[in-house]
Every structure is written in C-alpha cells, then in structure tokens.
C-alpha cells in the first residue's frame, strides 16, 4: 500500500515545492514537505524503513528536479533514519513532540545537505547557511508539522496511509 | 517481489530491529553483508552525485521529458499558488493600509517634484545624445523572447527557475535573462519546451560588473539561492563605491551579459577576507521572490559610437 501512496504524495509535494509554496516563502525560505513526510514516516516506522522511504522520496526528487543526482536521496535517507531513531523512544501522541522532532531532524538533514554542497564545490558561507537556510527551514518545517501532525497521525492510525509493507 | 524483501535490509545496519517490525525482514544476510550492501549503495549514489556535476550543462533524457510533461501543470499550480498567497496575505496588508496610504501620499508629492527635475534632465540628455549620435538604448539593441516562470528550485539552497520556453522556441544555453527592472540570470539547460535559468542570487553564479558611478570593476556573486542577496567581490580599493551607487553589467569580452544591464544598488562596503580588495553587499533591483515573467535575450546587436 505504501508503495502506492508514498510516491504519489512525494510527487504532489514536489510539484507544490516547485510552484505554489514559493508564494508562502518567508524571507526566501519555504518549508520542505517531503522532508517532513520522510521524518514522520521514520518516527512511526523505525530507522530502516524511515531511511528506505527517505531514500525513495529523495531519488524521486532527484529524478524530477534534474539537478545533482543523489543529493536529495542521501539527505532523505539521513532524515528518515534520524526520524526513526525516535521511534519507540518518544511519545507519538503529542504533536509538540512530533513538531520538535521534525525541526531537529530537518536541522540534521539540512546540515548534511550543506556538507554535500561543499563536496560539489557549491560554496555558501557557514554563517549564512546556519542563519539564512538551515535554522529558518528547521523552524518552518516544525511549524508546518505542528499544524499537520494531527492529520498525519489520524491517517496513520486509521490505516489510510497504509500499515502493510508494499 | 524480491525487492520488497531485500531492499529495506540495506537500512537495517548494526541495529536490532523492534520485534514486531523485525520479523518482517527475516533474512539470512549477516550484518557484515548488510554493511557491505549499504556501503555499495552509498558509493553508487556518491559516484552518481559527482558524475552529475559534469552533466549539469544538460538535462538527462528522463528529466527533460518529465519537465516538458509537468510544465503546464506547474504553470497552473503557480497561478493558483499566487492567487492563494495573495488571498492569505490580504488581512495582513489591510492592517497597515491607512499608515501606508499616508506614506504614499507624502512620497507621491515628493516624487512629483522630482519628476519635474528629471524631465528637465531627460530633455537635456536627449539633446546631448542626439548631438553625439550615440544610442545607449539597450532595448533597441536586443532581441528578446518573453517567457513565464513555471517553477522554482525545489529547495532553499540553489537559485534556479524554470521557464515555459525551450529549444523549440529558440532558447539556448548561456542566453541572458532579464526583466525591465534588471538582470535575472542566464539559461543553463533547455528541454524541448522548458528551460532552466540560473539566477544571479545562486552562489554558483558570477557576473562581470562595474559600479556605474566609480566605474569600479567587480564580480557579482550570489549568497544563496533562496535569499535575494548579492555581493560584489574583487573591487579595487582605490575605486571603493559608496552606499546607493548603482551596479551594472560590464559586458566585457566573452561575457554573455550585455553591457549596462542594471543589477542593483550598493548597500554597504567592506574589506574582503584577504584584505586586498573591497566587497559590497548589493540590493538587487529584481524581486527574485516574485518573478512571474522574464525576457530571454536571444540576440544582441551592439552599436558602437
């Protein structure tokens, strides 16, 4: 089941990222919906499924975006893994915890993205990276997760987002 | 169905799975083999990542087709997003409307008086130009093609936009992209019906420029994609610009940008890290967060005096 809904959700979110979300960007920064989905998936499914679906989501982004191939796959995998580390350790019923987790994992994934950009000789000053992108995106993602967490949680519990594996 | 069982195993390195989850992944593979598989996967992805840097000058066939297919959908979503964004922002705008109205009235009266002065200067300028028989009208020297922005870079790090004109409409790589306000960037990759434009705000972008007032040369670089910030680097210290000075393209030999296209105004000046040159923060004329239509410079006929 997840093999069906996940790519469709990722595709929809990627299209939103490319287009409509630019109009709710604050100071040039917009939330990363796929990253939020991947982290929450990890939170509910554990490290390996989180990392796996993060990798799949990232590969889809890389394919559609046509940029540096593998950049989103690696960060998605890391984000899913980080989200999965909280599985069984943190209380799932609280949206505050969910939002905090999304913020923290986004910070980690974006930091990895920054390091990968350095590897590709794309230079961004560390100060600007932290204060202009990583920090704001983490906060923005946490806010979006705070709003959407309840819906995600209910859909997961009701089985609409699929409990089966593939 | 083999992939459904084996692929997730790559992510189960050196960790004891939760009992209810782990039972679904029963396998004969040892931890060492799983680590090896994960290592192989990482090597493949990192190699693909490094390889893709060399292929940044063109789209892969798959990415090219996907872009062409998704372009109309993206255009629709872009319009819907803009309308929705305006709708959401309306209450916020109304709050400061009265104050803003007063400010605008004051500004209007100031501008009217300035306009009279500028008309005088403009007439004088026209006369002098006529005497010199020297045309500096950029628009008359360029052939441009209008295109709508159908998408922006997915993330917050890189500054690229997608436009709805491509190779079929005569767009090629390395064409300059402008708006009436100023320089936007250059075309980097084209598919049949779309093109990718690297904004000057992207940290991978560099534009030969000069400060109009002091004629100081420099290179305009982006800070990061999402932010609409620019810096001019390598400014000779003896030609230090002042805040408020205009930065334009220098159009030196080999540059793909025509000379004289406005880029922005100097906000502040400081020494660069090495201390040999000056660098300046620049406020661009173009609002990169609200780009909707752009002009692609398809040909340039330079008229020299």
């Amino acid at each position: 089941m997840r093999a069906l809904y996940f790519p469709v959700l990722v595709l929809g979110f990627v299209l939103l990222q490319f287009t409509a979300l630019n109009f709710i960007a604050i100071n040039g920064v917009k939330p990363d919906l796929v990253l939020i989905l991947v982290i929450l998936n990890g939170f509910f499914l554990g490290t390996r499924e989180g990392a796996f679906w993060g990798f799949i989501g990232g590969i889809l982004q890389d394919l559609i975006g046509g940029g540096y191939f593998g950049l989103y796959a690696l960060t998605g995998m890391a984000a899913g893994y980080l989200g999965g580390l909280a599985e069984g350790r943190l209380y799932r019923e609280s949206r505050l915890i969910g939002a905090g987790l999304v913020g923290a994992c986004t910070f980690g994934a974006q930091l990895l993205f920054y390091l990968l950009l350095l590897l590709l000789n794309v230079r961004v000053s560390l100060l600007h990276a932290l204060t202009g992108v990583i920090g704001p995106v983490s906060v923005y993602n946490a806010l979006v997760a705070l709003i959407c967490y309840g819906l995600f949680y209910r859909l997961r519990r009701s089985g609409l987002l699929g409990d089966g594996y593939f | 169905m083999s992939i459904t069982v084996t692929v997730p195993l790559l992510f189960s390195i050196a960790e004891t799975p939760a009992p209810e989850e782990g039972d679904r992944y029963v396998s004969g593979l040892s931890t060492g083999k799983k680590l090896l598989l994960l290592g192989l996967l990482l090597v493949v992805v990192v190699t693909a990542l490094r390889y893709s840097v060399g292929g940044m000058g063109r789209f892969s066939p798959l990415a090219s087709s996907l872009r062409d297919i998704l372009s109309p959908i993206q255009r629709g979503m872009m319009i819907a997003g803009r309308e929705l964004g305006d709708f959401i922002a309306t209450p916020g705008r109304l709050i400061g409307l009265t104050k803003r109205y007063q400010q605008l009235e004051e500004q209007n009266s100031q501008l009217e008086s300035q306009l009279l002065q500028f008309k005088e200067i403009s007439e004088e300028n026209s006369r002098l130009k006529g005497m010199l028989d020297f045309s500096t009208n950029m628009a008359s020297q360029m052939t441009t093609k209008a295109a709508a922005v159908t998408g922006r870079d997915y993330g917050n790090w890189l500054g690229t936009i997608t436009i709805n004109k491509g190779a079929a409409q005569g767009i090629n790589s390395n064409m300059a992209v402008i708006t009436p306000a100023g320089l936007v960037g250059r075309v980097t990759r084209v598919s049949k019906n779309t093109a990718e434009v690297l904004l000057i705000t992207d940290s991978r972008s560099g534009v030969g420029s000069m400060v109009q007032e002091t004629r100081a040369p420099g290179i305009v670089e982006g800070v990061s994609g999402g932010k609409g910030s620019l810096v001019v680097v390598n400014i000779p210290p003896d030609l230090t610009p002042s805040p408020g000075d205009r930065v334009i393209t220098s159009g030196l030999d080999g540059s793909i940008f025509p000379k004289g296209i406005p880029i922005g105004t100097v906000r502040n000046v400081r020494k660069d890290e090495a201390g040999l040159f000056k660098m300046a923060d620049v406020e661009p004329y173009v609002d990169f967060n609200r780009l909707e239509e752009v002009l692609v410079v398809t040909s340039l006929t330079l008229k020299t005096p």
Side-chain angles (χ1 to χ4, degrees), chain A residues 17-19 22-23 27 30 32 34 47-49 52 61 65-66 68-69 77 110 120 123 128 137 165, chain B residues 7 11-12 15 17 21-22 24-25 49 52-53 67 151-154 156-157 189 203-204 224 227:
Chain A
Q17 293 275 152
F18 271 128
T19 56
N22 294 301
F23 296 98
N27 204 17
K30 55 192 172 187
D32 193 329
V34 178
T47 49
R48 51 188 164 175
E49 275 227 50
F52 173 68
Q61 289 175 73
Y68 300 110
F69 190 83
M77 192 166 85
Q110 291 287 305
L120 299 169
R123 304 278 164 198
H128 174 74
V137 178
Y165 294 79
Chain B
V7 176
F11 302 97
S12 63
E15 185 177 305
E21 305 274 337
R24 305 179 194 216
Y25 296 104
L49 190 58
S52 67
V53 177
R67 279 178 174 253
R152 289 187 71 106
D153 190 82
Y154 172 84
N156 294 294
W157 293 94
R189 295 186 287 184
S203 56
R204 295 168 293 175
S224 81
K227 286 269 196 186

Side-chain angles (χ1 to χ4, degrees), chain B residues 3 23 42 68 74 79 96 152 165 171 173 192 226 265 268 275 277 295 299:
Chain B
I3 191 169
D23 291 344
L42 286 176
D68 286 338
Q74 282 182 225
I79 292 167
R152 289 187 71 106
K165 296 277 164 65
I171 307 294
S173 295
K192 191 182 168 196
T265 49
N268 57 60
F277 291 98
L295 298 167
S299 70

Side-chain angles (χ1 to χ4, degrees), chain B residues 146-185:
Chain B
V149 177
T150 57
R152 289 187 71 106
D153 190 82
Y154 172 84
N156 294 294
W157 293 94
L158 307 175
T160 58
I161 55 170
T162 305
I163 57 174
N164 68 344
K165 296 277 164 65
Q169 290 80 31
I171 307 294
N172 292 320
S173 295
N174 287 330
M175 283 181 170
V177 180
I178 59 173
T179 68
L183 185 66
V184 172

Side-chain angles (χ1 to χ4, degrees), chain A residues 7 9 16 27 40 42 55 61 77 82 87 100 111 122 128 131:
Chain A
L9 264 183
L16 276 175
N27 204 17
L40 290 180
F55 183 79
Q61 289 175 73
M77 192 166 85
L82 286 174
E87 193 252 351
L111 202 57
V122 179
H128 174 74
T131 59

Side-chain angles (χ1 to χ4, degrees), chain B residues 7-296:
Chain B
V7 176
L9 284 169
L10 300 178
F11 302 97
S12 63
I13 50 161
E15 185 177 305
T16 309
E20 69 275 17
E21 305 274 337
D23 291 344
R24 305 179 194 216
Y25 296 104
V26 176
S27 164
L29 286 179
S30 64
T31 303
K33 282 182 180 171
K34 289 172 198 169
L35 274 170
L36 186 68
L37 277 172
L38 179 67
L40 272 174
L41 179 72
L42 286 176
V43 167
V44 168
V45 176
V46 172
T47 308
L49 190 58
R50 293 304 295 258
Y51 176 76
S52 67
V53 177
M56 286 304 281
R58 62 188 186 284
F59 287 120
S60 66
L62 179 64
S64 179
S65 307
L66 275 172
R67 279 178 174 253
D68 286 338
I69 293 165
L70 294 176
S71 179
I73 302 168
Q74 282 182 225
R75 178 81 182 128
M77 288 178 79
M78 202 74 171
I79 292 167
R82 187 167 62 233
E83 296 299 321
L84 189 66
D86 284 345
F87 179 74
I88 293 168
T90 302
R93 285 192 198 127
L94 286 174
I95 293 167
L97 207 61
T98 314
K99 199 178 168 189
R100 182 81 184 129
Y101 179 71
Q102 286 168 347
Q103 284 174 345
L104 285 173
E105 274 205 330
E106 282 172 26
Q107 205 177 12
N108 189 36
S109 56
Q110 284 174 3
L111 287 171
E112 273 178 0
S113 66
Q114 280 180 2
L115 188 65
L116 285 171
Q117 291 173 5
F118 286 140
K119 270 184 182 169
E120 274 298 307
I121 295 167
S122 175
E123 281 170 17
E124 187 188 356
N125 193 19
S126 304
R127 286 197 308 276
L128 292 171
K129 267 185 199 165
M131 285 165 70
L132 287 166
D133 193 28
F134 176 52
S135 170
T136 54
N137 186 355
M138 290 302 298
S140 67
Q141 300 179 34
M142 292 189 283
T143 311
T144 57
K145 207 170 270 279
V149 177
T150 57
R152 289 187 71 106
D153 190 82
Y154 172 84
N156 294 294
W157 293 94
L158 307 175
T160 58
I161 55 170
T162 305
I163 57 174
N164 68 344
K165 296 277 164 65
Q169 290 80 31
I171 307 294
N172 292 320
S173 295
N174 287 330
M175 283 181 170
V177 180
I178 59 173
T179 68
L183 185 66
V184 172
R186 67 183 167 91
V187 176
T188 47
R189 295 186 287 184
V190 290
S191 66
K192 191 182 168 196
N193 292 310
T194 70
E196 186 184 73
V197 177
L198 182 74
L199 301 179
I200 54 171
T201 55
D202 190 296
S203 56
R204 295 168 293 175
S205 167
V207 181
S209 67
M210 65 176 169
V211 179
Q212 199 169 33
E213 284 78 5
T214 64
R215 318 308 284 176
I219 299 167
V220 171
E221 291 181 348
V223 176
S224 81
K227 286 269 196 186
S229 311
L230 301 167
V231 287
V232 191
V233 297
N234 295 351
I235 303 172
D238 56 330
L239 295 171
T240 304
S242 308
D245 284 357
R246 285 159 55 93
V247 180
I248 58 172
T249 52
S250 61
L252 292 174
D253 286 346
S255 174
I256 59 170
F257 302 106
K259 185 180 179 182
I261 296 179
I263 296 173
T265 49
V266 173
R267 217 167 35 206
N268 57 60
V269 185
R270 58 185 192 277
K271 278 185 180 174
D272 69 5
E273 284 171 9
L276 293 173
F277 291 98
K278 292 287 177 78
M279 59 192 295
D281 293 315
V282 172
E283 186 71 40
Y285 290 123
V286 176
D287 182 358
F288 289 94
N289 291 320
R290 304 286 300 178
L291 272 180
E292 291 172 24
E293 278 92 25
V294 293
L295 298 167
V296 183

